[in-house]
Amino acid sequence: MKQRATATLIAAGLLVAGCASDDQDKEDKPKDPKPAVLKAARAYQSAANRLDWQSACKLSSARLRDGTVTECAERNIGPDATTSPSPSASKSSGSPSPSDSPPTYADGSTPDPLPSRTPTEPERADTGPISAGGVVKVPAVAGHPAGYGVLVTYTVQWPGKDAITKRRALRLVSEGGWRVDQHEDVQDGDMGRGSPVRAALSGG
């Protein structure tokens, strides 16, 4: 009788030890970060597309924000940001000064002036649903820390125009959660290459 009780206790002890070992293995196994990375990438791009810079800046790394969330948002919003071109674009496409002269072709003709936005035009294009995928590990480069690269895809359509597909590569780094540290456009010609995300994010 004593032998049977002893055997039962040993079996119970082994069962408990086995359960404890399984629980420990589950705790030690690192959690797959890809679902959280994809979620953060979609949230960032969604905020940027709807011009919600406060949310987009919160989802940006300290390096990309280059200041507080408020400062980052104000830089992106700027005065009349929804209708004004970027500073670099305004320098090249703004109204010429009286001293500027238009370029002249070899036959003496000049190009037609670029059309300007009319008051009836919408301030922004419509963007379609965002898909995110192609998660890859990306190494540190040009000041960007190592992290994960994600390909986000969505459509952009102006009224009366055909929708175009926009692709962007986002670098996400772990910084109190997954944050976007870099974003680069991905051209159609890059899609046939090994990893368009790595290629786009390796340029700095």
Side-chain angles (χ1 to χ4, degrees):
M1 191 69 178
K2 286 184 178 180
Q3 289 180 344
R4 183 179 299 176
T6 302
T8 301
L9 289 172
I10 292 174
L14 290 174
L15 181 61
V16 171
C19 291
S21 177
D22 290 343
D23 292 341
Q24 187 64 41
D25 289 342
K26 289 178 182 178
E27 291 177 3
D28 292 342
K29 187 177 180 180
K31 187 177 180 180
D32 184 5
K34 290 182 180 179
V37 168
L38 288 170
K39 182 179 180 181
R42 280 191 295 265
Y44 171 86
Q45 193 60 57
S46 177
N49 284 3
R50 65 178 185 270
L51 305 183
D52 180 2
W53 296 115
Q54 189 77 13
S55 296
C57 288
K58 285 181 181 178
L59 290 165
S60 301
S61 67
R63 182 186 189 283
L64 185 58
R65 283 198 310 268
D66 190 26
T68 66
V69 169
T70 300
E71 289 169 342
C72 168
E74 288 175 349
R75 276 198 308 273
N76 281 281
I77 295 170
D80 302 324
T82 55
T83 56
S84 300
S86 64
S88 58
S90 64
K91 291 178 182 177
S92 59
S93 61
S95 301
S97 68
S99 61
D100 291 335
S101 59
T104 305
Y105 296 131
D107 62 0
S109 63
T110 57
D112 293 331
L114 294 173
S116 59
R117 184 182 301 279
T118 66
T120 58
E121 285 186 286
E123 293 183 342
R124 51 187 292 206
D126 289 330
T127 55
I130 296 167
S131 63
V135 183
V136 292
K137 285 185 176 182
V138 288
V141 60
H144 298 288
Y148 284 89
V150 176
L151 181 68
V152 293
T153 307
Y154 55 94
T155 57
V156 177
Q157 184 172 25
W158 289 94
K161 305 290 185 181
D162 292 334
I164 60 173
T165 300
K166 180 84 170 177
R167 298 182 181 90
R168 302 185 86 196
L170 304 182
R171 176 189 296 266
L172 289 99
V173 298
S174 181
E175 194 176 281
W178 292 102
R179 302 286 183 263
V180 173
D181 188 72
Q182 181 187 9
H183 46 76
E184 304 290 345
D185 288 338
V186 177
Q187 306 302 325
D188 290 344
D190 296 331
M191 293 304 295
R193 299 179 182 177
S195 174
V197 172
R198 281 200 186 99
L201 297 177
S202 65

